[in-house]
Amino acid sequence: MTGYGKAVGEVQGKKITVELRSLNSRQFDLNIRTPLKYRDKESELRNELSKQAERGKIDFTVFSENKDGTSTVTINRSLAKSYFNEFKKLSLELNEPADNLIPLVMKMPDILKSEKQEPEEGEWNEVRHLIDKAIKDFKKFRADEGKILKNEFTSRIKNIASFLKEVVKADKERLVYMKEKLKKSLTELKEKIDQNRFEQELIYYLEKLDISEEKLRLQTHLDYFMATMNEPASGRKLGFISQEIGREINTIGSKANDAEMQKLVVQMKDELEKIKEQLLNVL
């Protein structure tokens, strides 16, 4: 959900700069900063940005400055002097150095002021045009980042699918090995056994190790993840699917009882963790 958009233009003799930034967030969290004369438009902007950005921690700024580069914001000098004198008196009373008081004064309330003026006829339309340009730039940034993420997710899902194929191959060999190991252990005991009972116990034991359903569900979840990537605003859904993928991988690992399969499980987990890290960037 990271994004950036910017537009600069001249409106009614002033340089207007519009910037739009976003960081990852589960909700829509908007911070708007505009010149005082445009404050009554903030409700309109909030509605528009909530539709366009959908989710994320959004910082939206409209900055106005004179053509010569000076800001339209002025300092309330009388109030600043009053704060300064009071701080200076306090420092003398406390016997503390009075150095560098200006930064402290500038942080006090109402030091910076802007004379509110109603926008001239057509001015807001021009500003809104710049805002629309910044939003368009912002959405393009997100779309470009989305293409990169989609390629990465596709690569990692394919890697997990490849490891799953190796698990399927190793699983067949594992079951044969387990049967032979059990028979060999019983032979070494040199005890007469009930063949029917042995078959029943063998089936019970192998069922405890069976991962047929997990393999099938894991492949289904992988396919579903790939299909969901093509849906709009699929971030939350992909997050849920990744949890299901992780659940099947963990179950395969707990049932594996085989060193080679455990290595494959670790590799699948590593790929999945890298997917989860990047899912925060998806709407």
Side-chain angles (χ1 to χ4, degrees):
M1 287 171 282
T2 56
Y4 179 76
K6 182 177 180 179
V8 181
E10 184 178 319
V11 177
Q12 301 292 331
K14 290 183 173 60
K15 179 182 177 182
I16 301 294
T17 303
V18 180
E19 280 194 336
L20 183 58
R21 303 170 183 268
S22 75
L23 297 174
N24 296 331
S25 176
R26 293 182 181 276
Q27 308 298 330
F28 177 73
D29 182 9
L30 177 62
N31 177 38
I32 296 180
R33 287 173 291 176
T34 64
L36 193 59
K37 66 193 305 187
Y38 303 139
R39 291 289 167 82
D40 60 343
K41 302 294 185 181
E42 288 190 1
S43 177
E44 174 187 334
L45 291 174
R46 185 173 293 276
N47 290 334
E48 180 65 18
L49 290 169
S50 66
K51 289 188 291 186
Q52 299 294 339
E54 296 185 49
R55 275 204 297 158
K57 182 176 175 56
I58 313 293
D59 283 317
F60 176 80
T61 305
V62 178
F63 185 71
S64 174
E65 60 184 355
N66 295 324
K67 292 175 72 174
D68 59 5
T70 60
S71 173
T72 56
V73 176
T74 59
I75 297 174
N76 189 333
R77 294 178 181 274
S78 61
L79 183 60
K81 289 176 182 178
S82 178
Y83 277 127
F84 182 86
N85 291 331
E86 289 299 314
F87 283 133
K88 193 171 183 180
K89 289 177 184 177
L90 182 62
S91 64
L92 290 173
E93 290 176 12
L94 298 175
N95 197 25
E96 292 289 339
D99 301 334
N100 209 22
L101 292 177
I102 295 298
L104 183 59
V105 170
M106 296 305 295
K107 293 179 181 178
M108 301 308 293
D110 302 321
I111 290 297
L112 297 178
K113 63 179 182 177
S114 176
E115 296 298 330
K116 183 174 182 180
Q117 301 171 344
E118 292 300 322
E120 296 181 21
E121 186 177 353
E123 179 180 346
W124 175 246
N125 290 335
E126 293 182 57
V127 173
R128 183 57 199 262
H129 178 67
L130 290 174
I131 291 172
D132 291 341
K133 285 178 65 177
I135 291 175
K136 184 178 180 180
D137 193 31
F138 170 82
K139 294 183 73 174
K140 183 180 183 302
F141 185 104
R142 277 187 166 183
D144 291 342
E145 186 181 71
K147 290 175 184 177
I148 295 172
L149 287 175
K150 184 177 181 180
N151 290 336
E152 181 175 349
F153 290 154
T154 299
S155 174
R156 298 203 181 281
I157 289 294
K158 285 182 177 179
N159 287 343
I160 295 175
S162 177
F163 292 135
L164 178 57
K165 288 180 181 178
E166 293 297 316
V167 166
V168 172
K169 181 180 177 182
D171 187 36
K172 294 177 181 178
E173 298 172 356
R174 177 187 65 131
L175 293 177
V176 172
Y177 171 76
M178 294 302 299
K179 288 179 182 179
E180 293 301 321
K181 183 179 179 181
L182 285 171
K183 287 181 179 179
K184 183 179 179 182
S185 297
L186 288 171
T187 301
E188 290 174 352
L189 286 173
K190 297 181 180 180
E191 294 287 341
K192 186 176 180 181
I193 61 171
D194 185 320
Q195 192 62 33
N196 289 333
R197 178 63 182 271
F198 170 71
E199 292 293 340
Q200 291 175 0
E201 293 293 337
L202 181 61
I203 291 171
Y204 174 77
Y205 184 69
L206 293 179
E207 282 181 348
K208 298 280 283 185
L209 300 177
D210 182 50
I211 58 171
S212 299
E213 291 185 9
E214 287 79 6
K215 290 184 294 185
L216 178 60
R217 285 197 296 264
L218 178 53
Q219 185 60 60
T220 300
H221 294 328
L222 295 176
D223 294 339
Y224 191 28
F225 190 101
M226 293 288 285
T228 303
M229 281 196 294
N230 295 317
E231 298 178 6
S234 58
R236 288 190 178 94
K237 196 171 180 180
L238 290 174
F240 296 143
I241 299 171
S242 69
Q243 290 177 13
E244 294 302 315
I245 291 174
R247 187 173 288 111
E248 301 306 332
I249 292 174
N250 287 333
T251 306
I252 290 173
S254 66
K255 289 185 174 183
N257 198 26
D258 178 85
E260 189 60 34
M261 286 176 61
Q262 289 288 3
K263 290 179 183 178
L264 293 168
V265 165
V266 169
Q267 289 174 297
M268 286 193 287
K269 284 183 177 181
D270 183 51
E271 294 293 323
L272 182 60
E273 283 305 309
K274 289 172 182 175
I275 289 173
K276 287 182 177 179
E277 288 172 7
Q278 293 297 333
L279 276 176
L280 294 173
N281 285 313
V282 182
L283 285 175

